[in-house]
Amino acid sequence: QATRRQIQSAVKMASLRVQSPWRSSTHALQAREVWADNFEHELAAFTIAATAAARWGGLGAVLALDMEFPGFVRATPSERAPPAVAYQALRENVDLLWPIQVGVAVAGCDGTIRGVWSFNLRFDADTDLHSESSVAFLKEVGIDFERHRADGIPAAELGRRLANSLLVGPQAPCWLAFSGLYDWGYLLKLLTAGRPLPTEVRAFDRVLSMYLPQRSDLRDFLPRGSLEALGRTFGVQRHGQAHTAGSDALLTLELYLLVVASGLMATPRFPDKAWRFEDWAGWEMDELLRCYWGNSWAPSGWPMDWRGFAQSGVSHAR
């Protein structure tokens, strides 16, 4: 692990010998707000940008993820808590709550940012479970809860479309987060039609690796400081409002590109196990996963109950 001083020195040297690795148009650095009325158009634009970025550099795109969610109903343990204890708190929170915004920033491995999207999900602060303090905080930073109630995207529809895209599965690009355990948890909930998370952390890791076989957490390389503080430390300008999903996803991506340019982090950084197609095609028969999730999975690896789930009207068509 590099020290903060080593990171700062390497980043400074990188800025002297290379152009800004995220030299992109101003338009590409502005988050595109996605609601129900422009969902089809913007989802197509997002998918095209991600697949084009993957082709451009030959090694694949990088998709930085950030979730804004309505707080915690189960207190999170301290950082020193064992991973199994921390995971149980995460599982209880994610199973009970739904995300409010899903932010994704897209870059090719040439360092060009191809766009930023903020998917605004349907959420009714009058009826959906949440923490009052968290909703109050999100209102202060500009989250329009009235519009989320009236014009938000059904979470089931976003999850279904992502689950059936080339952005997850064996051919998926590299996904990136910052302190991303909750980001991964909520993304997995969306991709699996709102199923409860696996009861054990090792099963969670295995299932997540099926959907996102190439993923990285920037916190592993920048272990101290908040996202905002790290942006200031390394001179990365924030675009948009802090604590909104699109802006936070973009800042995560720009910090990642800077750390890559410094030579302190390989690109992309993958898990130890790279899942082969054979692993993917047969994973529904895995005894460990059947133990935690049962046998209700289609041979393709996607849930069999998407159609019924999407049409059930549960929690505003989530």
Side-chain angles (χ1 to χ4, degrees), residues 16-307:
L16 292 175
R17 67 175 183 264
V18 300
Q19 290 184 329
S20 170
W22 55 84
R23 188 175 296 279
S24 308
S25 69
T26 302
H27 177 73
L29 298 176
Q30 301 302 315
R32 299 165 73 157
E33 297 293 332
V34 188
W35 301 90
D37 57 1
N38 65 343
F39 174 65
E40 293 295 335
H41 174 78
E42 291 296 342
L43 182 66
F46 163 62
T47 304
I48 290 170
T51 54
R55 290 195 301 269
W56 178 261
L59 295 177
V62 178
L63 276 58
L65 173 71
D66 182 79
M67 296 273 184
E68 297 300 328
F69 51 92
F72 304 92
V73 292
R74 159 75 187 274
T76 58
S78 70
E79 293 182 358
R80 296 182 178 180
V85 173
Y87 175 73
Q88 291 308 316
L90 172 141
R91 185 173 67 87
E92 292 182 30
N93 281 304
V94 171
D95 285 350
L96 289 171
L97 302 172
W98 285 90
I100 297 170
Q101 287 185 330
V102 180
V104 188
V106 180
C109 68
D110 63 338
T112 301
I113 293 176
R114 303 308 181 91
V116 187
W117 284 263
S118 181
F119 294 92
N120 296 283
L121 303 183
R122 188 172 296 171
F123 185 87
D124 189 340
D126 292 331
T127 59
D128 290 328
L129 192 61
H130 62 273
S131 159
E132 291 290 346
S133 59
S134 295
V135 166
F137 174 77
L138 291 174
K139 285 180 179 178
E140 290 180 0
V141 300
I143 301 294
D144 186 347
F145 281 96
E146 182 57 32
R147 189 170 182 187
H148 278 270
R149 182 190 64 78
D151 195 27
I153 303 160
E157 182 61 15
L158 176 61
R160 182 182 69 84
R161 300 289 287 275
L162 289 176
N164 288 284
S165 74
L166 295 176
L167 302 180
V168 299
Q171 71 295 308
C174 180
W175 285 77
L176 171 72
F178 179 81
S179 293
L181 193 56
Y182 274 84
D183 299 305
W184 304 136
Y186 279 112
L187 181 58
L188 185 59
K189 180 173 185 173
L190 291 175
L191 293 172
T192 59
R195 288 174 178 270
L197 295 184
T199 56
E200 301 293 337
V201 66
R202 61 180 181 145
F204 172 77
D205 287 338
R206 290 200 68 182
V207 174
L208 191 60
S209 290
M210 295 296 181
Y211 286 96
L212 310 178
Q214 304 178 121
R215 65 185 185 276
S216 186
D217 196 316
L218 189 59
R219 175 58 86 187
D220 293 340
F221 300 89
L222 299 174
R224 292 181 177 82
S226 66
L227 183 64
E228 188 74 15
L230 289 167
R232 290 195 300 268
T233 297
F234 298 129
V236 179
Q237 178 184 354
R238 176 182 282 279
H239 299 270
Q241 175 64 50
H243 305 294
T244 57
S247 179
D248 282 4
L250 177 58
L251 184 53
T252 298
L253 182 58
E254 291 184 306
L255 280 167
Y256 168 86
L257 294 172
L258 186 60
V259 172
V260 166
S262 74
L264 291 172
M265 179 176 178
T267 179
R269 179 175 181 262
F270 301 153
D272 293 336
K273 162 94 177 192
W275 294 93
R276 304 183 308 275
F277 176 77
E278 290 79 7
D279 296 315
W280 173 267
W283 76 280
E284 71 278 3
M285 301 305 295
D286 186 288
E287 291 297 328
L288 172 65
L289 302 183
R290 289 175 62 190
C291 174
Y292 298 120
W293 264 352
N295 298 312
S296 58
W297 289 89
S300 64
W302 306 121
M304 292 188 294
D305 55 356
W306 262 118
R307 180 173 299 179

